[in-house]
Amino acid sequence: MEAQPHALAPADSPHLESLPVQPLLTAEFDADPGAVYRRLRSRYGPVAPVGLMGVPVWLVLDYREVLEVLKNESRWRRDVRHWRARAQGELPPGWPLLAGYEVRQTMFMDDEEHRAARRTQHAALRPFQDASSPEGWELRAAVARYADELVALLAAESGRSGFADLGAQYTRPLLLMITAKLFGCPVELGDELVMDLWRMLDGGPDSGPATGRALAAFTRLAAHRRARPGDDLTSYMMLADPDLTDDQLGRELFMNAVYLNDITGNMVLNTLLEVLRGNATVRRSLSAGQLGETVNRAALANPPVANMCFRFAARDVRLGRFWIRAGDIVSPSSAAAHQDLLAIGSSHMVGSTVSTRAHLGWGAGAHQCPSAARELGGLIVTTAVGRVFDHFIRAELTLPSDQLPWRSGPVVRGLRVLPVRYELSADAPTLRPTDPRQATPASHRDENRTSGLLAALRRLMFGRK
């Protein structure tokens, strides 16, 4: 039987570049992205043409179509080299999102190259995934210990009751401390790694140089661990694939750091926010002690990644009301797609638990977070959230939830701050002076690393660069 040729877009169907598009990133989007998604859907249907920092992009809005883009790897590619506008030199000079997409790492690979890189990732993460292994036990203990240390530091600096920013004073430093522990970062890399990682994640005109500096820092970390291997993710990736060069390993560490700090960190903050703002279904799960379900429900209401990484059409394909041409850029919106799930979940004909694990917080399809990474990410989020509500007997927002400042961006919708008035429980952890006679060299290293990371983060958060 002869293979059927792929369909081509009809000649009279509009090209993305010819359509009038309105910028996605507007003041309205900052204030209420859900309203923007609904307006686009009512006008265009499941797929809408939008402008993204001067570049036209197909934004996929409906859950069914988003899953099609995420799961059909033969039609929708992740490798930026499939992007026609880039290949033809049609992008604005210095387009700020391009630098990150040109970092050749697992998430931007396809087919066997991608599968081989994922196998390396999974093999390196496996020792940390197993709670009964020394590495897994130590990482779990470290996550809980770091969370307790940050609560104790908050009490020492701001008192047993007072005001705090659960972003700058808890969630962000917690994820950075975990990154340093998991990657085996030496102290001397801490400040540079943290500063450039955050500059890169914030985007803007300096995102290109920041990305280059962050990659250089992670490449130096790879070289450091090659000379001094340990029980860390960096060393285990070298064991899983001895052919990895320092440059290749640096790019993979870069990707892992972005996902660990941005996606996992946003999932922590968004879960805390949904509890504090009074989301009834999230609160019921928390009251029942179902932390995993609490996180699922929060991710459904407020996903950590609003608009997921770009895909590129491998061939002409009909999607929604439009023909997407080979080489077009597509952005699947998990935040918009979740509106469909929330509508299903609120129906009296559907049980309330049907949609909770269908959220796209960890992605879907071949490029979703590897299972070991999802399990570790879930562990970090549930531990971080659980420790807050273990130690705080009262926490309430000091701003109305609709006035909280959000980090505006084409991919991530993350809180800049999560300001609360709090009161700690009587048995909340406190800082205790360390007896130098009982301290081990390893504990000194952990303390120095933690101090360096917190100092770097605070300089960045408060503008002392």
Side-chain angles (χ1 to χ4, degrees):
M1 177 183 288
E2 293 185 5
Q4 295 298 314
H6 297 306
L8 297 176
D12 60 350
S13 62
H15 289 254
L16 174 61
E17 297 82 2
S18 69
L19 290 169
V21 296
Q22 294 183 348
L24 179 66
L25 303 181
T26 62
E28 180 189 6
F29 185 81
D30 285 348
D32 188 358
V36 175
Y37 296 138
R38 287 189 292 273
R39 190 183 72 247
L40 289 170
R41 194 191 307 241
S42 67
R43 179 175 179 182
Y44 295 106
V47 181
V50 300
L52 196 56
M53 299 179 174
V55 172
V57 173
W58 294 111
L59 185 66
V60 189
L61 300 162
D62 282 15
Y63 189 79
R64 183 179 64 181
E65 282 76 11
V66 167
L67 278 187
E68 152 66 20
V69 172
L70 296 180
K71 290 188 171 183
N72 194 329
E73 190 178 11
S74 66
R75 289 184 178 179
W76 308 101
R77 313 298 274 170
R78 284 294 292 267
D79 192 328
V80 72
R81 292 175 295 185
H82 289 277
W83 189 6
R84 187 180 63 254
R86 171 185 174 273
Q88 295 178 355
E90 297 171 353
L91 299 180
W95 195 61
L97 298 181
L98 186 59
Y101 277 87
E102 291 193 327
V103 178
R104 187 142 189 85
Q105 41 84 3
T106 300
M107 294 304 295
F108 298 152
M109 297 174 181
D110 291 311
D111 301 326
E112 181 53 33
E113 182 185 26
H114 172 244
R115 289 188 287 272
R118 278 179 71 95
R119 287 194 292 270
T120 298
Q121 294 273 347
H122 191 79
L125 284 166
R126 191 178 297 123
F128 303 98
Q129 182 185 21
D130 183 0
S132 64
S133 71
E135 298 88 350
W137 181 90
E138 184 177 347
L139 180 63
R140 285 158 174 75
V143 173
R145 183 173 70 251
Y146 294 157
D148 289 347
E149 287 175 358
L150 289 166
V151 172
L153 183 61
L154 175 64
E157 293 185 340
S158 304
R160 309 291 293 182
S161 63
F163 299 88
D165 173 7
L166 292 182
Q169 293 177 270
Y170 181 73
T171 301
R172 294 181 184 120
L174 174 62
L175 269 297
L176 291 166
M177 293 159 74
I178 294 169
T179 301
K181 171 73 173 177
L182 182 62
F183 286 20
C185 294
V187 174
E188 60 269 20
L189 284 180
D191 284 8
E192 185 174 0
L193 182 154
V194 172
M195 300 289 279
D196 277 328
L197 180 61
W198 278 97
R199 291 191 187 102
M200 182 273 301
L201 292 175
D202 282 345
D206 62 345
S207 60
T211 300
R213 290 191 298 269
L215 282 170
F218 284 117
T219 301
R220 287 195 297 274
L221 172 59
H224 174 87
R225 280 299 165 208
R226 193 178 301 278
R228 303 171 186 83
D231 295 324
D232 51 71
L233 178 65
T234 308
S235 302
Y236 289 161
M237 287 189 69
M238 294 178 192
L239 286 175
D241 185 357
D243 294 331
L244 280 175
T245 66
D246 289 346
D247 285 343
Q248 290 171 319
L249 182 52
R251 293 195 292 270
E252 296 301 326
L253 294 173
F254 169 90
M255 180 269 293
N256 278 283
V258 170
Y259 276 70
L260 178 59
N261 285 271
D262 223 22
I263 294 180
T264 310
N266 281 338
M267 197 171 280
V268 172
L269 280 175
N270 291 355
T271 304
L272 293 173
L273 172 61
E274 292 305 311
V275 174
L276 295 175
R277 79 192 328 177
N279 184 313
T281 60
V282 175
R283 282 192 163 191
R284 280 198 296 270
S285 298
L286 182 65
S287 298
Q290 300 172 327
L291 278 174
E293 186 66 9
T294 301
V295 173
N296 284 337
R297 290 180 181 275
L300 184 61
N302 196 356
V305 177
N307 300 312
M308 306 174 81
C309 290
F310 299 138
R311 267 67 171 178
F312 309 98
R315 59 179 184 268
D316 292 2
V317 59
R318 178 89 181 193
L319 193 67
R321 301 174 185 173
F322 294 96
W323 276 90
I324 314 298
R325 283 175 165 77
D328 278 0
I329 181 173
V330 169
S331 175
S333 174
S334 56
H338 281 190
Q339 293 180 343
D340 294 341
L341 293 183
L342 290 169
I344 292 172
S346 64
S347 169
H348 70 281
M349 300 178 66
V350 180
S352 61
T353 62
V354 166
S355 60
T356 58
R357 282 181 290 277
H359 71 77
L360 301 172
W362 304 115
H367 282 87
Q368 70 179 333
C369 291
S371 59
R374 294 198 304 274
E375 184 170 324
L376 289 175
L379 162 76
I380 291 167
V381 177
T382 54
T383 302
V385 171
R387 277 308 208 255
V388 167
F389 295 109
D390 283 345
H391 298 320
F392 288 60
I393 58 175
R394 183 170 69 94
E396 57 188 32
L397 294 172
T398 60
L399 285 175
S401 60
D402 61 356
Q403 294 181 23
L404 290 169
W406 291 88
R407 184 172 129 208
S408 176
V411 177
V412 171
R413 179 170 167 82
L415 283 168
R416 292 186 181 276
V417 297
L418 184 56
V420 299
R421 179 184 294 108
Y422 71 89
E423 181 179 350
L424 293 174
S425 63
D427 58 353
T430 57
L431 291 179
R432 295 181 177 85
T434 302
D435 184 345
R437 294 170 298 179
Q438 298 178 359
T440 65
S443 69
H444 280 309
R445 286 196 299 271
D446 282 347
E447 289 168 7
N448 290 338
R449 181 184 299 124
T450 299
S451 299
L453 286 167
L454 287 174
L457 181 64
R458 287 176 177 173
R459 284 199 302 276
L460 183 60
M461 294 297 294
F462 295 103
R464 296 189 291 274
K465 300 181 182 181

